[in-house]
Amino acid sequence: MSIAYGSSEAMGRRAKRIVVVGAGMGGLAAAVDLASRGFAVTVLERAAAPGGKMREVIVGGQAIDAGPTVLTMRWAFAELFASAGADLADYVTCVPARTLARHGWANGRLDLFADLEETVAAIGEFAGAADARGYRAFCWQAQRIYDILERPFIRSEKPNLAQLMWRVGLHRPVAQWRINPYQTLWDALGKHFRDPRLRQLFARYSTYCGASPFRAPATLMLVAHCERGGVWLVEGGMHRIAKGLAQLATERGAQIRFGAHVARVSLAGGRAAGVELASGERIEADAVVMNADPAAVAGGRFGAEAARGVADVTPARRSMSAVTFAATARTAGFPLVRHTVFFSDAYKQEFEDIHTRGAPPGDPTVYVCAQDRADADAGPPTGEERLLMVVNAPACGDARAFNETEIDLCRQRTLQRLERCGLSVQPSSMEATTPSDFERLFPGTGGALYGRAPHGWMASFQRPGARSRLRGLYFAGGSAHPGPGAPMAALSGRLAAARIAADLGST
């Protein structure tokens, strides 16, 4: 006998009720898995659309991706859809990119490609044979780190250090050495690359986690392996992934309510038993999944009782925020591809500005997502194009607001960096988002976009896992284990769903 997805009648009893707070990647992934298992799922989202940080803004009449823009680890979403009896390709069209990213300096340009040999050849031409060999060694080490950590850490609900060392193997000291948790990423890269520009380029992977390469462990080389495994261009923009997940969750029986502001988690018998909305409405549940930054929960944004369920994250331990500029503009000069990074001339000072001075960098590295472009073979668009320009910034949005003078100065520095690298940008419409804006969008974070910063070798073990200290309260999203980025956030949601299924029972 077949069992319909989300069918409480098929369970022969009342379906356990799950409330998911937040329709970001983690919340939607949890909703899909839980609804597919037969739970009665209600997703409550304060915004008017799904996605959380994977958001879309309208600038100059054009829809622009204003959150995550790089899709790697497509398999994480393919597995999620397949587990619900669906095919990702029926909901989202993804095309593999030949050029992973283009990189620009005032004195050079380099592309990384999906094909390893093509990248090796490009690096050899750019920096010489020794650095081309260094790149091969770097790729080998990054893959080994990922292979060692995928099962015991990335796909594990909440590993602690002792468990990880045991599963990696106390009898395998070479494997422990290869994950390299005690050396900084910046120092480790010095062993592979002589050209300082290449060291800059591969150090940028720490910023995918909101961290400084001068403080983050070399273990984050695994991010480079994830990117080398393929970058995918999403037709219609990254926001389509959120829409596809929301559609699938609804088809499997979940109810998604937008404009639903959760004010507090309610308790009964010493466990989470539902939520209360700002309107006063109460919704009972057998478990609550928080797809919100644990720092917001610890800070009391969802009630004093829920706050006891998670350790607080002090401002000093926050990941970075950003200043972003979504624009419609004419461009000239430097040939853009979908993903282009323009590097600062003062790379170390950039992170000193953020982490020591608590200010946007004086000479920032700028990431540009040219959303109307694809690979290197695509020529420039006619007329205007849609751009998202991103500069790293401190997560100080709850301490102070950025005034118009500061925003304008940051805009000038951003465009000046692009000019120094050969790109002219003439915006006709532009919308800035600052750390204080991100704090308003995601209260209790200071605008931190990646949860806790992975600074130091123990930091990754200090993220909350799926199960909180409070019975019945669970976490999902980029601020929980295994970490930030759309695929990791989706994996987090699936880990939360699996933990709930084990705790409450399911079909």
Side-chain angles (χ1 to χ4, degrees):
M1 175 179 130
S2 63
I3 297 178
Y5 285 107
S7 171
S8 60
E9 290 79 13
M11 297 177 68
R13 54 184 171 79
R14 177 183 70 79
K16 295 292 179 68
R17 298 163 298 181
I18 313 296
V19 165
V20 179
V21 181
M25 289 297 98
L28 291 172
V32 167
D33 268 3
L34 290 166
S36 297
R37 291 173 184 263
F39 289 95
V41 179
T42 300
V43 182
L44 303 172
E45 170 56 55
R46 187 175 65 162
K53 294 185 179 73
M54 191 178 280
R55 64 196 188 100
E56 192 175 66
V57 297
I58 305 299
V59 179
Q62 300 289 318
I64 299 178
D65 274 337
T69 54
V70 180
L71 177 61
T72 60
M73 300 172 67
R74 178 185 176 276
W75 57 262
F77 292 102
E79 287 181 2
L80 171 59
F81 276 77
S83 73
D87 188 338
L88 173 63
D90 292 335
Y91 295 78
V92 182
T93 300
C94 303
V95 179
R98 171 177 171 263
T99 305
L100 302 180
R102 176 161 289 171
H103 309 86
W105 295 263
N107 62 346
R109 187 177 91 201
L110 175 67
D111 289 352
L112 298 186
F113 300 98
D115 181 78
L116 174 64
E117 296 305 321
E118 197 171 2
T119 300
V120 169
I123 290 177
E125 184 177 347
F126 178 77
D131 276 347
R133 291 191 298 272
Y135 176 69
R136 286 188 187 276
F138 169 77
C139 290
W140 180 88
Q141 187 175 3
Q143 181 173 350
R144 292 303 179 273
I145 292 172
Y146 181 86
D147 289 345
I148 291 168
L149 293 180
E150 180 184 4
R151 289 291 172 185
F153 184 77
I154 294 172
R155 290 180 181 263
S156 182
E157 181 191 323
K158 181 63 172 76
N160 59 43
L161 182 61
Q163 290 172 333
L164 178 64
M165 289 298 101
W166 178 256
R167 296 184 70 176
V168 167
L170 293 173
H171 59 289
R172 295 167 59 202
V174 173
Q176 293 182 38
W177 171 77
R178 282 176 180 164
I179 66 176
N180 204 1
Y182 310 116
Q183 189 176 30
T184 68
L185 178 59
W186 183 258
D187 288 343
L189 291 172
K191 297 181 178 180
H192 294 291
F193 303 109
R194 299 177 183 178
D195 192 312
R197 296 171 298 179
L198 292 176
R199 204 171 175 187
Q200 269 187 313
L201 190 163
F202 295 104
R204 77 183 176 90
Y205 289 107
S206 68
T207 65
Y208 284 25
C209 303
S212 162
F214 301 96
R215 302 186 185 191
T219 308
L220 289 183
M221 285 184 186
L222 66 82
V223 180
H225 174 70
C226 294
E227 184 174 273
R228 200 171 65 77
V231 170
W232 299 78
L233 309 180
V234 181
E235 187 177 290
M238 292 282 283
H239 192 63
R240 288 291 178 91
I241 298 174
K243 291 179 178 178
L245 280 173
Q247 178 183 341
L248 179 60
T250 301
E251 290 171 354
R252 294 298 177 262
Q255 179 187 12
I256 303 179
R257 294 174 53 181
F258 297 107
H261 182 184
V262 174
R264 60 184 292 269
V265 174
S266 55
L267 272 64
R271 61 174 292 125
V275 298
E276 182 178 325
L277 304 187
S279 64
E281 179 185 357
R282 297 189 177 190
I283 301 174
E284 294 183 351
D286 297 289
V288 176
V289 179
M290 295 298 304
N291 182 201
D293 195 306
V297 180
R301 299 277 177 166
F302 297 92
E305 294 88 354
R308 293 195 292 270
V310 62
D312 198 5
V313 177
T314 63
R317 297 184 184 276
R318 291 171 177 167
S319 62
M320 291 188 292
S321 185
V323 177
T324 69
F325 299 99
T328 55
R330 293 181 180 273
T331 62
F334 190 103
L336 294 169
V337 292
R338 177 68 65 89
H339 306 296
T340 309
V341 183
F342 297 91
F343 285 99
S344 165
D345 293 333
Y347 200 56
K348 188 170 186 177
Q349 184 60 48
E350 177 177 349
F351 295 97
E352 287 295 317
D353 288 345
I354 293 169
H355 294 290
T356 303
R357 292 181 52 241
D363 181 12
T365 293
V366 182
Y367 162 72
V368 178
C369 179
Q371 298 181 19
D372 296 306
R373 305 211 189 198
D375 276 343
D377 295 334
T382 57
E384 293 189 332
E385 59 183 310
R386 298 172 300 152
L387 304 176
L388 179 69
M389 297 170 280
V390 182
V391 171
N392 291 320
C396 58
D398 53 349
R400 66 182 185 88
F402 282 57
N403 59 43
E404 289 301 320
T405 300
E406 289 175 300
I407 296 171
D408 188 59
L409 179 60
C410 189
R411 180 187 64 82
Q412 291 177 31
R413 289 171 172 171
T414 298
L415 298 180
Q416 286 168 359
R417 169 45 48 197
L418 302 182
E419 286 279 2
R420 290 192 192 104
C421 295
L423 177 67
S424 172
V425 177
Q426 298 179 333
S428 60
S429 301
M430 181 180 285
E431 179 178 308
T433 306
T434 70
S436 49
D437 295 320
F438 285 119
E439 161 66 19
R440 283 192 289 272
L441 289 168
F442 312 108
T445 66
L449 297 176
Y450 314 89
R452 185 190 183 101
H455 289 160
W457 65 278
M458 279 294 293
S460 294
F461 299 100
Q462 294 166 334
R463 288 180 179 273
R467 182 193 276 161
S468 78
R469 298 172 182 173
L470 177 66
R471 286 190 305 138
L473 181 65
Y474 300 81
F475 284 106
S479 301
H481 176 77
M488 293 291 191
L491 288 175
S492 175
R494 303 202 68 192
L495 290 171
R499 183 68 264 163
I500 290 171
D503 289 349
L504 299 184
S506 75
T507 57

